[in-house]
Amino acid sequence: MRTSLTLWVMAVCGAAAATAVAVDRDRPYHNEQVSFSSDARNAAEKEAQFWVSDAQEAIEEREARVSRQRRRAEQGFAKNVVMFLGDGMSVPTLAAARTLLGQRQGATGEEARLSFEEFPTIGLVKTYCLDAQIPDSACTATAYLGGVKNNYGTIGVTGRVARRDCLASADAATHVDSIAEWALADGRDVGIVTTTRVTHASPAGTFAKVADRRWEDDTRPTEQGFTAEQCPDITHQLVHQHPGNKFKVILGGGRRHFIQNDTRDEEGTRGRRTDGRNLIEEWQEDKRNRNVTYKYVWHRSELMEAAESMPEYLLGLFEGTHMQYHMQGDPVSEPTLAELTEIAIKSLSRNEKGFFLFVEGGRIDHAHHDNMVELALDETIEMSKAVTRAVEMLPEEDTLIVVTSDHAHVMSFNGYSDRGHDILGPSRDLDDNGVPYMTISYTNGPGARVQQADGIRVDPTTDDDYRELEWRAHAEVPLEDETHGGDDVAVFALGPHHDLFTGLFEQSRIPHLMAYAACIGPGHHVCSAAALPSSPLLPLLALLALLVLTLRGD
């Protein structure tokens, strides 16, 4: 461990027991949730050498990693690709989540890192849709999985398909192949893992071709006058059409879209289908007809049991709709994202040619939409744990791991609090009327408070449910659901050719970069480049040819 880091940890641990709070009387101060004061910080940090040593050690680590990576890149390509998608994981979300992580560990927090923030390469991604300045999770899924930008609300089709234009989406010429299809075409296996419904917009980007992301079952397209033959719903596509019916692992929520609306699932959730079909049973029948081993599970205990024998195909649906938030779920019945990721990797790793795995921490987005900041940050930390599990299980020399987000949110990390101030509490500042405001707030959403008659803001710390899990941070503009943001999002990469993911680029480049490193899909990739003579040899060969001709007198 670094010397400077060791000193820092010792100092912070010693300071954690301090209870006195130093207050700057020149500024208003709300100290209800303070966890650390400026005097409680590590003494080593106050010396310039701490930061110089930290930077130099980081440079040495990076040099060593780059050197190792160059040697590995010369030897091959990414046999495996794992893509982690934090739905709605904006850059402020990352900063706040890492701070919460550090504070949960008893430190000041700001200096902490999420697992993937240790990756050697980071870039920025532009997220707009073809027809929208601020995107949704459907058009972005088509971009980061299919490599093509398209229209808001549509999945797996080109920009020629407007939202809800069933007939246009039925034209195969408008269909976009995903990186999952590229992997299958190369003989590799594919899996999807999500904390949302498995037919939700993000995971559907791996397999669906649909004009409306809300067509998860047959109800809505039928209500709009379309037949199942014209526009099969997303769940039907997953069970019966390529590439979804070839996925070896499907883990998440969403049972309601598989079953009839006059039946209930294992936990009492009513189905949504109106076509009289049970697609869970049809998924199992398809596997029986193909003479392969399979298992459907809905409970964590069943999942763990299945993982012992590991069938060829595994379908796990753990909720009627989305999976529970990690902080609210039953750990007996509901697996964590890290557990789902581990089991998916164990299954897919049996293919010697490799695999593509898509893992989504999808409920970051949902908590943000409800202005429930603690749940959003905890879901981010849970995804970080899943990334850690993948890194531990897979060899860096042949596995490319990419972590990114589909879009931002309008969460703001603000105020003038001291180092180590409670990230979930009110800012150190007060507003101009002496009313507290939160360190994390939103520009819009259901957390907006009705202004008092005198124009003075409501004090959010006086709410009856203040700091409960579903307490809503305050917002400026009242909306039923908080909106997405148009910010760029970060992308992190580790493994073969990770350095491709640097700079600022279009979101639609992501799958092409992954495919380049993995030698799958259309276009140029590292294997085709490796087949050519290396560039330094070209002028040498030309010179030798000229010398031979000269000696021959030709």
Side-chain angles (χ1 to χ4, degrees), residues 73-79 186 188 497 514-521 523-533:
E74 291 171 358
Q75 298 171 1
F77 60 94
K79 183 178 78 170
D186 192 58
R188 307 189 202 190
H497 310 287
M514 293 190 292
Y516 174 89
C519 297
I520 57 176
H524 186 61
H525 34 66
V526 66
C527 295
S528 56
L532 298 173

Side-chain angles (χ1 to χ4, degrees), residues 251-270:
L251 300 174
R255 290 189 298 257
R256 71 186 191 186
H257 297 293
F258 287 75
I259 61 177
Q260 179 71 7
N261 61 6
D262 61 358
T263 61
R264 295 183 182 272
D265 68 14
E266 294 86 346
E267 296 179 302
T269 302
R270 185 179 293 277

Side-chain angles (χ1 to χ4, degrees), residues 397-460:
E397 59 267 21
D398 63 6
T399 301
L400 174 65
I401 299 179
V402 176
V403 180
T404 189
S405 178
D406 47 356
H407 54 71
H409 272 274
V410 296
M411 187 201 88
S412 176
F413 185 176
N414 64 125
Y416 291 104
S417 297
D418 288 337
R419 170 80 176 275
H421 192 74
D422 181 7
I423 187 68
L424 298 174
S427 171
R428 183 187 190 280
D429 253 352
L430 301 174
D431 73 10
D432 288 347
N433 294 310
V435 179
Y437 64 92
M438 303 305 292
T439 299
I440 296 177
S441 58
Y442 292 83
T443 63
N444 61 53
R449 272 71 171 170
V450 177
Q451 294 287 353
Q452 300 182 61
D454 56 6
I456 296 177
R457 293 174 48 253
V458 174
D459 180 352

Side-chain angles (χ1 to χ4, degrees), residues 191-218:
I192 57 173
V193 169
T194 180
T195 53
T196 70
R197 299 187 293 269
V198 296
T199 52
H200 209 234
S202 302
T206 59
F207 63 88
K209 326 292 180 187
V210 66
D212 193 329
R213 58 176 290 179
R214 298 188 183 278
W215 294 351
E216 293 183 66
D217 56 59
D218 66 307

Side-chain angles (χ1 to χ4, degrees), residues 472-485:
R472 288 182 165 128
H474 61 75
E476 172 63 18
V477 177
L479 289 176
E480 181 179 359
D481 293 300
E482 175 260 14
T483 70
H484 295 168

Side-chain angles (χ1 to χ4, degrees), residues 21-42:
V21 175
V23 179
D24 178 357
R25 298 297 180 185
D26 293 333
R27 288 193 289 163
Y29 192 65
H30 186 84
N31 64 358
E32 181 180 359
Q33 298 291 338
V34 173
S35 54
F36 292 90
S37 73
S38 58
D39 290 341
R41 276 184 284 142
N42 161 32

Side-chain angles (χ1 to χ4, degrees), residues 295-312:
K295 184 70 175 179
Y296 161 68
V297 299
W298 67 271
H299 192 280
R300 181 180 179 276
S301 61
E302 293 182 336
L303 177 67
M304 296 306 169
E305 182 181 343
E308 292 298 319
S309 57
M310 201 62 79
E312 293 175 73

